[in-house]
Amino acid sequence: MKKLLLLLFAFLSITIAKAQILEPVKWTTKLEQKSDGHVLLIFDGTIEKDWHVYSQFTPDGGPLPLEISYKNQQGNFNLIGKAKEGKTKTAFNDVFGVNEIFFETKVHIVQEIALTNPKITNIEATLNYQTCKDVCINSEKKFTFNIPAASKIEAVTPVDTVKTAIIAQQEEVKPVSVTAEPTQEAKATPKKDTEKGLWTIFFLAFLGGFAALLTPCVFPMIPMTVSFFTKHSKTPALGKRNALIYGVSIIAIYVILGLLVTGIFGADALNALSTNVLFNIFFFVLLVIFAASFLGAFEIMLPNSWANKVDKEADRGGIVGILFMALALAIVSFSCTGPIVGTLLVQSASKGGIAPIVGMLGFSSALALPFMLFAMFPSWLHSLPKSGGWLNTVKVFLGFLELALAFKFLSNADLVLQLHFLEREVFLAIWIAIFGMLAFYLFGKITLPHDSPLPHISVGRMMLGLLILSFTIYMIPGLSGAPLKLINAFPPPLEYSESPNGVGSSAPNTTQNALPAGAKIGPHGIVVFNDYESGLAYAKLVNKPIMLDFTGYACVNCRKMENNVWSEEPILSHLKNDVVVISLYVDDKRDLPKDEQFISKETGASIETIGDKWTEFMITKYKTNTQPLYVLTDLEGNSLNANQPTISYVSLKEYDTWLGIGIAHFKK
């Protein structure tokens, strides 16, 4: 009985341990005959609730995209184009600065194959993909498709070979700065993120419409338009109705523009273009042109003949005439609204989906609302400020903002190509110069071509100038390595700079600034090892505990933990002085030497790369495949935190407590 109980206990322990190895996607596959010599390979995955799988089209520089590889393709069959995908979603990831494309609930992939060898009996395919929720998992699934005789179609079953690796938690993809409490972000889902992204686009576009309203081309037209409706309407009620139709017409014109952009290019194509190097450079040039126009170098205008023809149609009266009046406003004011509309379309297009439509809805709503309200309540006109030189100041202000935004697109292209032309210091120097000049402009120290004489500046202009000057001064320490958390989504990351660890930084825990063998400088000047044996040898030499950091290059929440938790005291002091940090990258694709490659006893997978090795280590030793994963051990590899051996994506307070307890146990 005792032996039976021991066997039962061992079985339950293994079962519980293996239960921690997550597999949130269940796959089925089939092969369909399309025509003679052509077949379709169909992959269908059912994704557990709140998880998502990254598409093969998610851009480089972010989470790992899905890949399909074939073992026996040479001489047997050819691929017809890239595999087609079912419904996906797109959301911006502010950590990596890319637009992620992912599946929710279902994965559907179809690859057309042209058979070239009549004797081929099967096709062997491998899916490598990343699945994310509160953590992310890299998985490898192998499938064998049997080639049917004639028109016979056979169902296929995936080979039971699974190689699981974790990359990081990746769930929060909203286009805003990362907060200091990651545990709250971990609760978000891609669906909510997408909704938040659209609301953000609407809000920013609404502000853009309001800014366009305060330009010399639009603002003076408010009293003119209101006067037209009040004088040419037989009754006040009719005037209000016409004003409402006029406002709705303005909204319809710009929303149709958003529909045209989405319809002509396609939602997926817009997103693909936004991550393309050439189009990022094109957007950069386009925004520089828009900025130059606002700064007074020239005016971007539509042909006068268009405005004349539309004016004639507006004389018809009735609903059709009002519609053409709204179109006339769009054409006449284009020199002021065009750059703003163009920038909004560029920005919203980079989000994909219906974002251009949402953006134009927000912009046009802000533009139309004052025309409707002042036409309905003409007495409000007395509260409007008079037209004057301040309207051109608004244009110039927008021009500086356009110029700053343009360099974000140039930075995207530089990051993708890894040219290191526009590194963090150069980017920040450009922004400091742009916003510094804007501050001088607001203080009246410089003037531009269309500015009116400025005998004095208003209090509001001075306050805005002080705000811009403060922002400029805030960015200056970034040249020396300051993280600049308020704008971390815009400049290149800290690692992409001339001095990744700050100007004049030196390696801590070293003698005469010489790094130990196998070590390198990691985030925030922390000495890290990327090899377990090297780190263990150094830990024994200096008699310090080891903090294992299972991480990944495409690990979003690993970066968030490093930026928001590791950077804070006393965490940073502990990591620099009290432990030896060993960061093991599970997505390191470099091949292991042939004599070090093997078959995993735990998963049955082939361990061929460095990332496979650390994944195998994590699964075998700690019975989990979640990341980021942190473990504090003594020099024999025993956990120093008995009650909580491992920790993942947590708050600063919880991480500090866990780290302090482990270090204290080592010192006893």
Side-chain angles (χ1 to χ4, degrees):
M1 178 61 72
K2 184 177 180 180
K3 290 184 178 180
L4 182 61
L5 289 173
L6 287 173
L7 288 172
L8 180 60
F9 178 76
F11 173 76
L12 289 173
S13 298
I14 294 171
T15 302
I16 292 170
K18 286 185 177 290
Q20 297 181 61
I21 310 301
L22 302 177
E23 278 195 68
V25 185
K26 306 299 181 185
W27 292 95
T28 59
T29 59
K30 64 180 179 179
L31 182 147
E32 290 186 357
Q33 190 89 29
K34 185 178 181 183
S35 60
D36 290 342
H38 283 243
V39 296
L40 299 177
L41 308 184
I42 301 174
F43 305 83
D44 284 303
T46 301
I47 309 172
E48 291 184 11
K49 185 180 179 182
D50 296 333
W51 289 83
H52 57 282
V53 173
Y54 287 103
S55 158
Q56 61 187 324
F57 300 109
T58 206
D60 293 337
L64 296 180
L66 181 145
E67 293 181 353
I68 309 174
S69 58
Y70 300 90
K71 184 177 179 180
N72 58 335
Q73 179 179 349
Q74 188 67 32
N76 291 318
F77 58 89
N78 294 323
L79 307 181
I80 307 300
K82 196 154 178 87
K84 296 180 179 179
E85 296 184 346
K87 184 180 179 181
T88 59
K89 293 191 175 183
T90 302
F92 183 70
N93 181 328
D94 62 335
V95 174
F96 289 121
V98 300
N99 295 282
E100 301 171 335
I101 306 173
F102 50 86
F103 300 93
E104 283 186 334
T105 311
K106 298 287 186 182
V107 182
H108 181 68
I109 300 172
V110 179
Q111 176 66 66
E112 184 175 351
I113 298 287
L115 303 176
T116 58
N117 181 3
K119 296 182 180 181
I120 185 174
T121 59
N122 60 64
I123 295 174
E124 298 178 29
T126 301
L127 285 184
N128 287 280
Y129 57 95
Q130 188 177 83
T131 317
C132 295
K133 183 188 174 184
D134 293 339
V135 293
C136 285
I137 302 170
N138 267 12
S139 295
E140 179 183 279
K141 278 279 191 176
K142 296 183 179 180
F143 304 90
T144 298
F145 294 84
N146 296 319
I147 305 298
S151 59
K152 181 182 178 183
I153 304 297
E154 300 177 5
V156 296
T157 305
V159 177
D160 191 19
T161 304
V162 181
K163 177 172 65 180
T164 308
I166 307 303
I167 307 294
Q169 176 177 352
Q170 164 52 44
E171 79 306 323
E172 187 68 12
V173 286
K174 59 190 181 209
V176 296
S177 300
V178 180
T179 65
E181 285 294 333
T183 50
Q184 296 177 2
E185 293 187 13
K187 299 176 182 177
T189 64
K191 182 177 180 180
K192 291 179 181 178
D193 294 333
T194 304
E195 291 173 354
K196 288 179 182 178
L198 291 177
W199 277 110
T200 301
I201 290 169
F202 179 87
F203 177 71
L204 293 176
F206 189 88
L207 291 180
F210 183 72
L213 191 70
L214 301 178
T215 58
C217 314
V218 181
F219 189 82
M221 297 185 71
I222 295 176
M224 294 170 55
T225 306
V226 171
S227 175
F228 174 85
F229 283 124
T230 53
K231 291 180 179 179
H232 291 77
S233 299
K234 296 179 180 179
T235 63
L238 184 60
K240 292 179 180 180
R241 190 207 71 170
N242 290 342
L244 183 63
I245 294 172
Y246 180 71
V248 172
S249 300
I250 293 173
I251 294 173
I253 288 169
Y254 285 100
V255 170
I256 289 171
L257 177 60
L259 283 168
L260 288 174
V261 170
T262 304
I264 293 172
F265 293 101
D268 292 336
L270 283 171
N271 178 263
L273 290 180
S274 72
T275 59
N276 181 277
V277 171
L278 292 179
F279 274 86
N280 269 285
I281 294 174
F282 171 74
F283 291 154
F284 163 72
V285 174
L286 187 66
L287 292 189
V288 169
I289 293 172
F290 288 160
S293 173
F294 269 172
L295 292 173
F298 49 81
E299 286 194 0
I300 302 173
M301 299 182 65
L302 295 176
N304 290 329
S305 58
W306 293 16
N308 294 333
K309 290 180 180 179
V310 171
D311 279 338
K312 290 181 181 179
E313 296 295 332
D315 292 338
R316 288 185 179 186
I319 294 177
V320 175
I322 294 172
L323 177 61
F324 276 99
M325 280 184 64
L327 185 58
L329 171 68
I331 293 174
V332 172
S333 64
F334 184 79
S335 62
C336 291
T337 60
I340 300 175
V341 170
T343 303
L344 288 173
L345 286 175
V346 167
Q347 284 290 86
S348 57
S350 69
K351 306 298 181 288
I354 62 170
I357 301 170
V358 173
M360 289 300 95
L361 178 62
F363 175 84
S364 57
S365 297
L367 195 65
L369 193 60
F371 285 94
M372 289 189 291
L373 291 177
F374 283 110
M376 291 179 178
F377 307 99
S379 60
W380 289 5
L381 283 174
H382 299 296
S383 62
L384 275 179
K386 295 181 179 180
S387 300
W390 67 272
L391 292 173
N392 189 68
T393 301
V394 173
K395 274 187 68 175
V396 172
F397 184 87
L398 294 174
F400 277 107
L401 294 184
E402 295 253 11
L403 189 59
L405 182 61
F407 282 93
K408 174 60 179 171
F409 289 96
L410 186 61
S411 174
N412 289 343
D414 183 64
L415 282 166
V416 171
L417 295 175
Q418 289 290 296
L419 296 176
H420 288 266
F421 169 74
L422 196 62
E423 292 180 319
R424 185 180 178 86
E425 292 89 345
V426 177
F427 183 95
L428 289 174
I430 292 171
W431 267 37
I432 289 169
I434 291 173
F435 285 99
M437 289 292 287
L438 175 55
F440 281 126
Y441 174 78
L442 292 173
F443 290 139
K445 299 302 181 183
I446 58 174
T447 57
L448 290 170
H450 300 300
D451 285 330
S452 302
L454 188 66
H456 64 273
I457 63 172
S458 64
V459 174
R461 181 166 176 161
M462 182 193 70
M463 297 296 287
L464 182 59
L466 288 173
L467 179 64
I468 298 299
L469 182 60
S470 300
F471 176 67
T472 305
I473 295 172
Y474 167 78
M475 289 190 289
I476 293 175
L479 297 173
S480 301
L484 303 181
K485 293 182 180 180
L486 289 178
I487 58 168
N488 66 350
F490 288 94
L494 285 166
E495 297 80 15
Y496 196 77
S497 62
E498 295 177 7
S499 303
N501 307 295
V503 175
S505 64
S506 60
N509 292 339
T510 62
T511 302
Q512 297 179 350
N513 295 333
L515 287 170
K520 70 174 187 178
I521 298 298
H524 315 297
I526 301 167
V527 172
V528 299
F529 293 83
N530 294 145
D531 178 75
Y532 180 75
E533 296 300 329
S534 300
L536 176 61
Y538 181 71
K540 290 180 177 179
L541 180 65
V542 297
N543 192 35
K544 291 182 179 180
I546 294 169
M547 193 191 80
L548 292 177
D549 164 34
F550 290 98
T551 185
Y553 295 111
C555 174
V556 176
N557 275 8
C558 299
R559 302 295 86 77
K560 290 181 180 179
M561 287 294 290
E562 291 163 6
N563 292 337
N564 299 330
V565 176
W566 286 19
S567 62
E568 301 295 328
E569 293 293 347
I571 305 297
L572 184 58
S573 178
H574 283 319
L575 297 181
K576 285 185 174 182
N577 304 309
D578 301 328
V579 300
V580 173
V581 179
I582 303 178
S583 295
L584 304 177
Y585 287 83
V586 299
D587 58 354
D588 191 331
K589 298 301 183 182
R590 291 176 296 169
D591 290 332
L592 287 167
K594 290 293 183 182
D595 59 349
E596 295 183 21
Q597 297 181 9
F598 61 97
I599 302 298
S600 169
K601 294 180 181 179
E602 187 77 21
T603 65
S606 298
I607 307 303
E608 300 173 350
T609 68
I610 294 174
D612 295 342
K613 177 182 177 180
W614 303 135
T615 299
E616 170 72 6
F617 177 33
M618 176 176 56
I619 292 174
T620 303
K621 180 75 173 177
Y622 301 107
K623 307 301 180 185
T624 185
N625 61 352
T626 58
Q627 283 198 323
L629 186 74
Y630 307 104
V631 188
L632 266 178
T633 75
D634 60 21
L635 302 179
E636 283 72 45
N638 302 311
S639 174
L640 293 170
N641 301 73
N643 295 329
Q644 194 176 12
T646 64
I647 201 167
S648 186
Y649 190 64
V650 296
S651 67
L652 173 64
K653 183 178 179 181
E654 186 176 351
Y655 195 87
D656 182 36
T657 301
W658 175 83
L659 198 59
I661 291 172
I663 293 172
H665 283 170
F666 181 83
K667 292 179 178 179
K668 286 182 179 180

